Amino acid sequence: MTEPARLSVADIRERIARLPRLDIALKNTPLEEAKNLSKLLGGPRIFVKRDDLTGVALGGNKLRNLEFRMAHAMKDAPDTVIVGLDLQSNSARQTVGACNKLGLKTILVLEGKRPNMVQGNLLVDYLLGADVHFADDRDHQRRLLDSLAADVRKAGGRPHILNDNPMFDVASAVAYLETTIEIVDQLAALGLKPNCFYMSSSGKGQAGMVLAQKLLDVPFVMHGVTATDEFHIPSRTAAIANETSKAIDLGIEIAESDIVNFDGFVGKAYGVPSDAGNEAVRIFARTEGIVLDPIYTGKAAAGLIAHIREGRFAKDDVVVFVHTGGTPAIFTWNSLWA
Ligand SMILES: Cc1ncc(COP(=O)(O)O)c(C=O)c1O
């Protein structure tokens, strides 16, 4: 890695402010100390960044990146946003919520079949008024995105296919660079500095936190825990971080070896709950009243809990767990809890 250019927080904020942006998410989300959780685990001080409380359509991490992605999309003055995602996608739910706030129609093309029992994110998609279509696989999804866009055009509308939005990855990284600054400020107000972060990561938000790690004058470790084996997260995270560094002129380079990501908590597969993840969901709920989800945040919390049990932290270490949302999945997986 090249020597980091020492940008001040004001410099970083100024770089971020160069990007077009809309106000969609509730930001400055609370940072809550989880004292009961820490006591139960005999662990370090644990602070939970409540990015499940970003406001729109039950909240989550995607609302922060949608501020940049939708600002980019709005240059073409669309009236309809079309997006292809997974059947139970948190991103889909938050996109429909954001589009409602912006007065845009949303067409979702979700990969999978309409289940007999509509639950979780899909239920909220319908409640929010999305026009929902189902695709058999990625190729079918792509064809549907294009044909639905053509239909909108034929009817005199202006479609924007969000999958083709070039801000997809950079927007998430910028959002979580900013979130890390928020967290560091919140801890500084308590006279504390973070030692370590944990976050569920497919590489985008983590890229922003790794940029923050290199830029800010606070030494901490960033631990991503992946919920998927679809990607090689370290190379993907470094690539997104470098694309972001170029896009907003941060003047630093991130190497794959700078990325710490744990892939041992995926369980059977992406989208399938794991025993350790489910235990973590129960522990957070029963100690702190914080509801995680069994697909992303529960698995990340399983990583945190396993590492505390291994004795990796000292009592006065400050560990931040970023709650990235995803809670509607508890209803999809109702038989796990009752
Ligand atoms: C709840 C939740 N946490 C974490 C992630 C991963 O975020 P990223 O894509 O920024 O790595 C997602 C992505 O879908 C998510 O829905």
Side-chain angles (χ1 to χ4, degrees):
M1 223 203 77
T2 54
E3 251 323 280
R6 282 266 160 240
L7 292 181
S8 68
V9 168
D11 291 334
I12 301 169
R13 287 195 188 282
E14 183 274 324
R15 302 282 201 287
I16 295 172
R18 289 180 195 172
L19 292 174
R21 182 175 196 168
L22 296 165
D23 188 17
I24 296 172
L26 298 183
K27 292 170 289 290
N28 286 307
T29 51
L31 184 75
E32 182 184 6
E33 183 161 14
K35 288 188 177 165
N36 296 335
L37 176 63
S38 175
K39 195 168 161 207
L40 177 83
L41 298 169
R45 294 183 75 174
I46 302 168
F47 290 81
V48 182
K49 177 64 169 170
R50 298 297 305 272
D51 260 16
D52 56 320
L53 302 180
T54 50
V56 182
L58 303 177
N61 59 342
K62 306 300 177 199
L63 291 162
R64 289 188 185 258
N65 76 45
L66 281 161
E67 297 202 336
F68 301 103
R69 286 164 66 194
M70 292 309 300
H72 194 276
M74 292 307 260
K75 284 187 194 157
D76 304 331
D79 60 3
T80 306
V81 166
I82 309 179
V83 63
L85 287 159
D86 293 337
L87 185 68
Q88 282 291 354
S89 163
N90 294 306
S91 191
R93 163 179 51 84
Q94 291 166 76
T95 301
V96 186
C99 287
N100 286 359
K101 265 190 89 119
L102 300 172
L104 305 173
K105 281 181 261 173
T106 321
I107 301 176
L108 294 179
V109 183
L110 304 178
E111 192 183 352
K113 285 199 174 20
R114 188 185 198 274
N116 294 333
M117 171 75 95
V118 172
Q119 255 300 359
N121 284 311
L122 183 60
L123 178 67
V124 186
D125 296 339
Y126 280 112
L127 170 65
L128 294 168
D131 176 11
V132 183
H133 297 252
F134 297 92
D136 301 333
D137 53 35
R138 293 273 173 214
D139 287 345
H140 185 210
Q141 187 176 54
R142 184 67 237 185
R143 289 198 302 279
L144 275 177
L145 290 174
D146 294 329
S147 69
L148 288 162
D151 292 347
V152 172
R153 253 181 247 112
K154 238 183 266 158
R158 295 177 308 279
H160 176 89
I161 300 180
L162 202 57
N163 300 64
D164 299 337
N165 186 308
M167 288 299 290
F168 211 87
D169 293 344
V170 169
S172 301
V174 170
Y176 275 84
L177 168 59
E178 185 178 79
T179 306
T180 314
I181 294 173
E182 243 179 68
I183 296 168
V184 168
D185 282 351
Q186 285 170 317
L187 286 172
L190 302 171
L192 297 172
K193 286 182 177 178
N195 297 99
C196 187
F197 283 82
Y198 279 80
M199 184 166 78
S200 176
S201 168
S202 312
K204 301 197 290 288
Q206 186 178 358
M209 299 192 83
V210 169
L211 287 169
Q213 181 189 24
K214 296 293 170 191
L215 288 165
L216 300 177
D217 209 6
V218 187
F220 62 79
V221 184
M222 172 59 210
H223 284 171
V225 182
T226 187
T228 173
D229 40 28
E230 189 188 345
F231 309 107
H232 181 251
I233 303 290
S235 55
R236 177 173 151 93
T237 306
I240 295 172
N242 288 327
E243 188 188 348
T244 306
S245 176
K246 277 203 199 86
I248 60 168
D249 194 20
L250 296 174
I252 57 167
E253 220 176 284
I254 303 292
E256 195 177 314
S257 55
D258 293 321
I259 311 298
V260 185
N261 194 286
F262 298 91
D263 59 6
F265 298 91
V266 175
K268 270 201 201 105
Y270 168 65
V272 180
S274 66
D275 289 346
N278 301 342
E279 185 206 14
V281 173
R282 280 192 201 92
I283 289 178
F284 269 65
R286 291 170 190 194
T287 53
E288 300 294 340
I290 293 176
V291 180
L292 303 178
D293 80 283
I295 303 303
Y296 289 97
T297 54
K299 290 180 181 179
L304 165 67
I305 290 169
H307 291 170
I308 292 174
R309 286 175 175 158
E310 283 166 20
R312 290 192 186 207
F313 298 105
K315 277 251 179 290
D316 57 355
D317 279 352
V318 171
V319 175
V320 177
F321 179 81
V322 183
H323 187 341
T324 46
T327 37
I330 59 161
F331 302 107
T332 316
W333 296 96
N334 58 338
S335 64
L336 291 174
W337 326 115

